[in-house]
Amino acid sequence: MQKFLKYIIPISIPLIVLLMPLSAFPFEGLTIVQQRVIAIFLLAALCWVFEPIPIYATSVVIIVLELLLVSNKGLYLFRLSEGQPHFGQLLSYNEIMATFASPIIMLFLGGFFLAMAATKYRLDVNLARVLLKPFGTDPKYVMLGLMLITGIFSMFMSNTATTAMMLSILTPVIAVFGPKDPGRIAFALCIPVAANIGGMGTPIGTPPNAIALKYLVGDNYISFGEWMAFGVPFVVVMMALAWMLINFLFSADQKKIELSIKGKFLKTPKAIMVYVTFALTIVLWLMGSSHGMNSYTVALIPVAIFSLTGIINKEDLKKISWDVLWLVSGGIALGLALDKTGLAKLVVHSIPFDAFSPYAVLFGAAFLCLVMANFMSHTATANLLMPIMAALGTSMASLAPLGGEITLILVVTFAASLGMSLPISTPPNALAHATGHVKSNQMAKVGVILGVVGVLLSFVLVWLLHAVGHVG
């Protein structure tokens, strides 16, 4: 019966939604196109939860269904009512297809090339030997070391690139554990968690932070240093909580890790090319846009160099986790549909924020953002909610004692980055899931707890700093 429900629920509920009249939905002005997106969204969510098919296959289904049902080059049968008042706006087919070659996919590809080259020329093993040596042999402290290194890197460079790099270092560490040791789960999970949390420490750590800064102007202006004044303490506390939570849920059976990582840095011409390219890529990522390139452009530099020099050959290309790229593409396509059809905006505007107390508005907005960020791009979520939160913060005088607009924007910004309950929620999660050591339900258990606690903690921290005059 359970196996039957695993297949029937993800299919039946979206079909029911498609057949319902528009008047049955609680959203005023809902269009036929938006109704179809709701059905696709539910199908995706249920398939990712129940996993009747591989999660990468769900992502491919999302893209194909969007092309068939809500694109301007879909089946003619589904475009018969185009132009009618309640039909809505179709998406451009090339925008949907472009999700397969989104800049974030290129960033992934660059990360994969770095990881493959590092493994092939033992750079990952040697980095593990050097970086983890100060943290001793106790598994929980070795994991702490991995989390700290990941968190610091994520403050200044792409979370995805950091995760790809750290997971390559992680490979020899996980090999020490037995096949059924929970330590494998803990170590594979700690990297994306640390990357997601670390990105909140600086304005450039993650895109939602930069989006928030666009609305923190005038009296609400926050400098780079002021952001770090509350961002870094938040990261430190959340990192400590995450470390304790992962240790509690997935405590390693093995009480000591003998990291007898032997070897030395290779000195062949190709190995030196890998070291130089690896270092150059990281430096360029750390330098941000000061050189005129964004992280996506930088990510293609190792792809070109390693391909040109033969460091990565056609046999190596077969080892790339293409399923992960498809998984992320589906998430991007889902966010695109929610955004471009106006469905996400319609849902947000359907909630009467001004009818609630300021506390209800703060927590309601933050938790709404947290839920949305688990199913769509953090950047898209922040882009969608931030203008609404800025207007809401300005218009609600009752928010002033709690920090007003600045508190609302910052709490929602942090909530956007705390959406990390599913493999699709963030690229770091997808990369960790691709290792095969972490299951979706294990990721959800940690992600939900940290998300809820993080939202509450961000409110308390921002309010305290506002009270002592550090922000706002």
Side-chain angles (χ1 to χ4, degrees), residues 241-261:
L241 289 173
W243 177 59
M244 290 187 288
L245 177 63
I246 294 173
N247 268 313
F248 174 75
L249 293 175
F250 308 108
S251 180
D253 293 335
Q254 189 162 321
K255 301 305 178 186
K256 188 176 182 181
I257 297 180
E258 295 291 348
L259 285 177
S260 55
I261 305 175

Side-chain angles (χ1 to χ4, degrees), residues 155-168:
M155 289 185 187
F156 299 97
M157 60 186 278
S158 158
N159 296 349
T160 306
T162 301
T163 303
M165 180 180 67
M166 294 305 295
L167 284 175
S168 68

Side-chain angles (χ1 to χ4, degrees), residues 413-426:
T413 301
F414 279 15
S417 294
L418 286 166
M420 50 180 168
S421 300
L422 298 169
I424 193 64
S425 298
T426 69

Side-chain angles (χ1 to χ4, degrees), residues 144 148 155 197-198 201 230-244 457 461:
L144 178 62
L148 289 176
M155 289 185 187
I197 292 173
F230 65 83
V232 172
F234 177 81
V235 167
V236 170
V237 175
M238 284 300 297
M239 200 78 77
L241 289 173
W243 177 59
M244 290 187 288
L457 178 65
L461 183 60

